Amino acid sequence: MGVVAMAFAHYSNFYRCLWTSIEPVVATNAFGDACRELRACAEAQAGVFAPPAIDAQLTEIGYDTNEINQIIACNEVFSDGNMPYLLLASLARALLEGFEWSGRVPGSALSRPAVEMPHPVLMEPHHVDRKTAAIYDDIRETLGLPFVNTDYRAFARWPSYFALAWCNLKPVIQSTAYETAVSQIHSHAVKLAVDLPNVTGLSPQDLVDAAARDADPAEVLAVVRLFQWLLPGLAFNVAFFRAQLTGSAQPVG
C-alpha cells in the first residue's frame, strides 16, 4: 500500500467513507482511462524539458542491457502506480474543499485482471553510503520535504544510476518552468478526478462529516493537501527519469 493511503487511513472514518466510494470506481474503464490520460500528461510535461539520454553513460560505467531494463521496470511501477493515488488525493481534496463530485464520465466494468508489478527493493537511509545519503539530503532540501519518497529509495538500489539521474533532474526542479509544468499536472488530475463516475453519490458534506468523526476536518484536509501537492511533482520527476532511459516519455505496452 502506498504512503498516501496509509496516511489517509490514520483517519479511519474519513478513509472508510472515501474508499467505499472510490473502490467501485477503480473497477471501471473510466478510472483506467483517467490513469492513462494523467500519466500521458505527466510524461508530456516532462518531455518538454528534453531529458538527456543517459543509457550510453550507464553502459560506459558497466551497466548492461539487463540492468538498464531492470531500472526501467522499477520506474514502470511508479509511472503506473502513482496515478491512482494522485486521482484519489485530488478527489479527496476537492470534496473536503467543497467541490461537487460531478461524475460526468460513465463507467463500465473492466474485464481484464490487474497487472502484476514487481516489488522494488527500497534503500532506507541506514542502508546507503555517504554519497547516496547526501543525495537523500539534497532531495529533501530541494523538494522541501521532511522525508524521501518511496520512488527515490527504490531508484537508489542502483546508486551510480540514481546519482546521474538526480543530477540531471535537479536543475529542472529549480527552474521557473517546473512549477508551471507541475501545475498543469495538478489541474488535470483534479479535472479527471471529479469527472469520474460517482457511483455512491458521495457529497462534500458526507466526507467532511466522516473526517469530523476522526479529527478537526481542517487537520485532515492539511494531510490530504500535503500529498495532493506532492504527487504531481513526483509524477513529473518519475516521468523525467523514465525519459532519460527510454528516449521517450511514452508508456510501454
Side-chain angles (χ1 to χ4, degrees), residues 152-168:
Y152 306 123
R153 286 182 280 135
F155 296 139
R157 161 68 179 77
W158 301 274
S160 51
Y161 152 74
F162 184 49
L164 181 59
W166 172 251
C167 182
N168 288 331

PDB file of all heavy atoms in Angstrom, residues 152-168:
ATOM      1  N   TYR A 152      12.235   7.375  -4.884  1.00  0.00           N
ATOM      2  CA  TYR A 152      13.666   7.643  -4.880  1.00  0.00           C
ATOM      3  C   TYR A 152      14.436   6.561  -4.125  1.00  0.00           C
ATOM      4  O   TYR A 152      15.545   6.189  -4.512  1.00  0.00           O
ATOM      5  CB  TYR A 152      13.947   9.011  -4.259  1.00  0.00           C
ATOM      6  CG  TYR A 152      13.170  10.132  -4.907  1.00  0.00           C
ATOM      7  CD1 TYR A 152      12.330  10.946  -4.159  1.00  0.00           C
ATOM      8  CD2 TYR A 152      13.269  10.368  -6.277  1.00  0.00           C
ATOM      9  CE1 TYR A 152      11.600  11.967  -4.750  1.00  0.00           C
ATOM     10  CE2 TYR A 152      12.544  11.390  -6.881  1.00  0.00           C
ATOM     11  CZ  TYR A 152      11.703  12.188  -6.110  1.00  0.00           C
ATOM     12  OH  TYR A 152      10.986  13.178  -6.697  1.00  0.00           O
ATOM     13  N   ARG A 153      13.851   6.060  -3.053  1.00  0.00           N
ATOM     14  CA  ARG A 153      14.507   4.989  -2.297  1.00  0.00           C
ATOM     15  C   ARG A 153      14.599   3.704  -3.135  1.00  0.00           C
ATOM     16  O   ARG A 153      15.504   2.898  -2.938  1.00  0.00           O
ATOM     17  CB  ARG A 153      13.766   4.739  -0.984  1.00  0.00           C
ATOM     18  CG  ARG A 153      14.006   5.836   0.043  1.00  0.00           C
ATOM     19  CD  ARG A 153      13.295   5.558   1.355  1.00  0.00           C
ATOM     20  NE  ARG A 153      11.897   5.911   1.295  1.00  0.00           N
ATOM     21  CZ  ARG A 153      10.909   5.155   1.752  1.00  0.00           C
ATOM     22  NH1 ARG A 153      11.157   3.969   2.274  1.00  0.00           N
ATOM     23  NH2 ARG A 153       9.665   5.567   1.674  1.00  0.00           N
ATOM     24  N   ALA A 154      13.665   3.526  -4.051  1.00  0.00           N
ATOM     25  CA  ALA A 154      13.732   2.374  -4.957  1.00  0.00           C
ATOM     26  C   ALA A 154      14.805   2.580  -6.023  1.00  0.00           C
ATOM     27  O   ALA A 154      15.582   1.661  -6.320  1.00  0.00           O
ATOM     28  CB  ALA A 154      12.372   2.146  -5.615  1.00  0.00           C
ATOM     29  N   PHE A 155      14.893   3.767  -6.594  1.00  0.00           N
ATOM     30  CA  PHE A 155      15.889   4.031  -7.619  1.00  0.00           C
ATOM     31  C   PHE A 155      17.313   3.991  -7.053  1.00  0.00           C
ATOM     32  O   PHE A 155      18.271   3.693  -7.781  1.00  0.00           O
ATOM     33  CB  PHE A 155      15.635   5.390  -8.277  1.00  0.00           C
ATOM     34  CG  PHE A 155      14.331   5.477  -9.023  1.00  0.00           C
ATOM     35  CD1 PHE A 155      13.540   6.612  -8.941  1.00  0.00           C
ATOM     36  CD2 PHE A 155      13.893   4.424  -9.812  1.00  0.00           C
ATOM     37  CE1 PHE A 155      12.333   6.705  -9.623  1.00  0.00           C
ATOM     38  CE2 PHE A 155      12.688   4.499 -10.499  1.00  0.00           C
ATOM     39  CZ  PHE A 155      11.909   5.644 -10.405  1.00  0.00           C
ATOM     40  N   ALA A 156      17.454   4.268  -5.756  1.00  0.00           N
ATOM     41  CA  ALA A 156      18.769   4.248  -5.121  1.00  0.00           C
ATOM     42  C   ALA A 156      19.339   2.841  -5.020  1.00  0.00           C
ATOM     43  O   ALA A 156      20.495   2.665  -4.619  1.00  0.00           O
ATOM     44  CB  ALA A 156      18.697   4.880  -3.738  1.00  0.00           C
ATOM     45  N   ARG A 157      18.544   1.833  -5.407  1.00  0.00           N
ATOM     46  CA  ARG A 157      19.061   0.467  -5.496  1.00  0.00           C
ATOM     47  C   ARG A 157      20.247   0.407  -6.456  1.00  0.00           C
ATOM     48  O   ARG A 157      21.122  -0.448  -6.355  1.00  0.00           O
ATOM     49  CB  ARG A 157      17.913  -0.449  -5.963  1.00  0.00           C
ATOM     50  CG  ARG A 157      18.275  -1.791  -6.548  1.00  0.00           C
ATOM     51  CD  ARG A 157      18.871  -2.729  -5.523  1.00  0.00           C
ATOM     52  NE  ARG A 157      19.188  -4.016  -6.119  1.00  0.00           N
ATOM     53  CZ  ARG A 157      20.240  -4.262  -6.890  1.00  0.00           C
ATOM     54  NH1 ARG A 157      21.090  -3.280  -7.169  1.00  0.00           N
ATOM     55  NH2 ARG A 157      20.466  -5.463  -7.377  1.00  0.00           N
ATOM     56  N   TRP A 158      20.300   1.359  -7.415  1.00  0.00           N
ATOM     57  CA  TRP A 158      21.401   1.488  -8.368  1.00  0.00           C
ATOM     58  C   TRP A 158      22.054   2.861  -8.120  1.00  0.00           C
ATOM     59  O   TRP A 158      21.717   3.849  -8.793  1.00  0.00           O
ATOM     60  CB  TRP A 158      20.887   1.391  -9.788  1.00  0.00           C
ATOM     61  CG  TRP A 158      20.173   0.097 -10.091  1.00  0.00           C
ATOM     62  CD1 TRP A 158      20.752  -1.079 -10.501  1.00  0.00           C
ATOM     63  CD2 TRP A 158      18.763  -0.167  -9.995  1.00  0.00           C
ATOM     64  NE1 TRP A 158      19.795  -2.046 -10.677  1.00  0.00           N
ATOM     65  CE2 TRP A 158      18.563  -1.524 -10.374  1.00  0.00           C
ATOM     66  CE3 TRP A 158      17.657   0.597  -9.628  1.00  0.00           C
ATOM     67  CZ2 TRP A 158      17.308  -2.118 -10.388  1.00  0.00           C
ATOM     68  CZ3 TRP A 158      16.398   0.017  -9.632  1.00  0.00           C
ATOM     69  CH2 TRP A 158      16.227  -1.326 -10.011  1.00  0.00           C
ATOM     70  N   PRO A 159      22.954   2.962  -7.158  1.00  0.00           N
ATOM     71  CA  PRO A 159      23.451   4.275  -6.708  1.00  0.00           C
ATOM     72  C   PRO A 159      24.072   5.132  -7.798  1.00  0.00           C
ATOM     73  O   PRO A 159      23.816   6.350  -7.851  1.00  0.00           O
ATOM     74  CB  PRO A 159      24.489   3.905  -5.636  1.00  0.00           C
ATOM     75  CG  PRO A 159      24.110   2.538  -5.174  1.00  0.00           C
ATOM     76  CD  PRO A 159      23.541   1.854  -6.378  1.00  0.00           C
ATOM     77  N   SER A 160      24.892   4.537  -8.663  1.00  0.00           N
ATOM     78  CA  SER A 160      25.547   5.346  -9.695  1.00  0.00           C
ATOM     79  C   SER A 160      24.534   5.857 -10.715  1.00  0.00           C
ATOM     80  O   SER A 160      24.639   6.996 -11.209  1.00  0.00           O
ATOM     81  CB  SER A 160      26.658   4.549 -10.385  1.00  0.00           C
ATOM     82  OG  SER A 160      26.183   3.283 -10.817  1.00  0.00           O
ATOM     83  N   TYR A 161      23.538   5.029 -11.040  1.00  0.00           N
ATOM     84  CA  TYR A 161      22.450   5.499 -11.904  1.00  0.00           C
ATOM     85  C   TYR A 161      21.691   6.641 -11.231  1.00  0.00           C
ATOM     86  O   TYR A 161      21.416   7.679 -11.840  1.00  0.00           O
ATOM     87  CB  TYR A 161      21.474   4.365 -12.228  1.00  0.00           C
ATOM     88  CG  TYR A 161      20.073   4.893 -12.487  1.00  0.00           C
ATOM     89  CD1 TYR A 161      19.778   5.557 -13.676  1.00  0.00           C
ATOM     90  CD2 TYR A 161      19.071   4.797 -11.503  1.00  0.00           C
ATOM     91  CE1 TYR A 161      18.522   6.096 -13.902  1.00  0.00           C
ATOM     92  CE2 TYR A 161      17.817   5.330 -11.721  1.00  0.00           C
ATOM     93  CZ  TYR A 161      17.544   5.985 -12.920  1.00  0.00           C
ATOM     94  OH  TYR A 161      16.307   6.533 -13.126  1.00  0.00           O
ATOM     95  N   PHE A 162      21.320   6.432  -9.969  1.00  0.00           N
ATOM     96  CA  PHE A 162      20.500   7.390  -9.247  1.00  0.00           C
ATOM     97  C   PHE A 162      21.190   8.751  -9.148  1.00  0.00           C
ATOM     98  O   PHE A 162      20.556   9.802  -9.324  1.00  0.00           O
ATOM     99  CB  PHE A 162      20.195   6.835  -7.858  1.00  0.00           C
ATOM    100  CG  PHE A 162      19.272   7.678  -7.030  1.00  0.00           C
ATOM    101  CD1 PHE A 162      18.080   8.155  -7.529  1.00  0.00           C
ATOM    102  CD2 PHE A 162      19.604   7.986  -5.711  1.00  0.00           C
ATOM    103  CE1 PHE A 162      17.220   8.928  -6.762  1.00  0.00           C
ATOM    104  CE2 PHE A 162      18.759   8.751  -4.928  1.00  0.00           C
ATOM    105  CZ  PHE A 162      17.568   9.226  -5.452  1.00  0.00           C
ATOM    106  N   ALA A 163      22.488   8.734  -8.889  1.00  0.00           N
ATOM    107  CA  ALA A 163      23.235   9.995  -8.789  1.00  0.00           C
ATOM    108  C   ALA A 163      23.190  10.753 -10.108  1.00  0.00           C
ATOM    109  O   ALA A 163      22.994  11.976 -10.134  1.00  0.00           O
ATOM    110  CB  ALA A 163      24.678   9.704  -8.385  1.00  0.00           C
ATOM    111  N   LEU A 164      23.362  10.033 -11.209  1.00  0.00           N
ATOM    112  CA  LEU A 164      23.339  10.662 -12.530  1.00  0.00           C
ATOM    113  C   LEU A 164      21.955  11.188 -12.872  1.00  0.00           C
ATOM    114  O   LEU A 164      21.792  12.322 -13.361  1.00  0.00           O
ATOM    115  CB  LEU A 164      23.795   9.643 -13.571  1.00  0.00           C
ATOM    116  CG  LEU A 164      23.860  10.101 -15.030  1.00  0.00           C
ATOM    117  CD1 LEU A 164      24.813  11.278 -15.179  1.00  0.00           C
ATOM    118  CD2 LEU A 164      24.309   8.937 -15.922  1.00  0.00           C
ATOM    119  N   ALA A 165      20.922  10.384 -12.601  1.00  0.00           N
ATOM    120  CA  ALA A 165      19.546  10.790 -12.914  1.00  0.00           C
ATOM    121  C   ALA A 165      19.144  12.021 -12.112  1.00  0.00           C
ATOM    122  O   ALA A 165      18.538  12.962 -12.646  1.00  0.00           O
ATOM    123  CB  ALA A 165      18.595   9.633 -12.624  1.00  0.00           C
ATOM    124  N   TRP A 166      19.482  12.042 -10.828  1.00  0.00           N
ATOM    125  CA  TRP A 166      19.123  13.181  -9.974  1.00  0.00           C
ATOM    126  C   TRP A 166      19.890  14.435 -10.389  1.00  0.00           C
ATOM    127  O   TRP A 166      19.335  15.537 -10.395  1.00  0.00           O
ATOM    128  CB  TRP A 166      19.390  12.855  -8.505  1.00  0.00           C
ATOM    129  CG  TRP A 166      19.213  14.054  -7.614  1.00  0.00           C
ATOM    130  CD1 TRP A 166      20.188  14.751  -6.965  1.00  0.00           C
ATOM    131  CD2 TRP A 166      17.982  14.727  -7.297  1.00  0.00           C
ATOM    132  NE1 TRP A 166      19.650  15.801  -6.261  1.00  0.00           N
ATOM    133  CE2 TRP A 166      18.303  15.816  -6.453  1.00  0.00           C
ATOM    134  CE3 TRP A 166      16.656  14.506  -7.651  1.00  0.00           C
ATOM    135  CZ2 TRP A 166      17.327  16.672  -5.949  1.00  0.00           C
ATOM    136  CZ3 TRP A 166      15.683  15.380  -7.162  1.00  0.00           C
ATOM    137  CH2 TRP A 166      16.017  16.440  -6.320  1.00  0.00           C
ATOM    138  N   CYS A 167      21.156  14.275 -10.763  1.00  0.00           N
ATOM    139  CA  CYS A 167      21.963  15.421 -11.189  1.00  0.00           C
ATOM    140  C   CYS A 167      21.322  16.128 -12.382  1.00  0.00           C
ATOM    141  O   CYS A 167      21.347  17.361 -12.471  1.00  0.00           O
ATOM    142  CB  CYS A 167      23.375  14.942 -11.533  1.00  0.00           C
ATOM    143  SG  CYS A 167      24.504  16.254 -12.030  1.00  0.00           S
ATOM    144  N   ASN A 168      20.726  15.369 -13.282  1.00  0.00           N
ATOM    145  CA  ASN A 168      20.057  15.960 -14.449  1.00  0.00           C
ATOM    146  C   ASN A 168      18.708  16.583 -14.097  1.00  0.00           C
ATOM    147  O   ASN A 168      18.286  17.568 -14.716  1.00  0.00           O
ATOM    148  CB  ASN A 168      19.861  14.905 -15.536  1.00  0.00           C
ATOM    149  CG  ASN A 168      21.154  14.519 -16.220  1.00  0.00           C
ATOM    150  OD1 ASN A 168      22.082  15.314 -16.316  1.00  0.00           O
ATOM    151  ND2 ASN A 168      21.229  13.285 -16.692  1.00  0.00           N
TER     152      ASN A 168
END
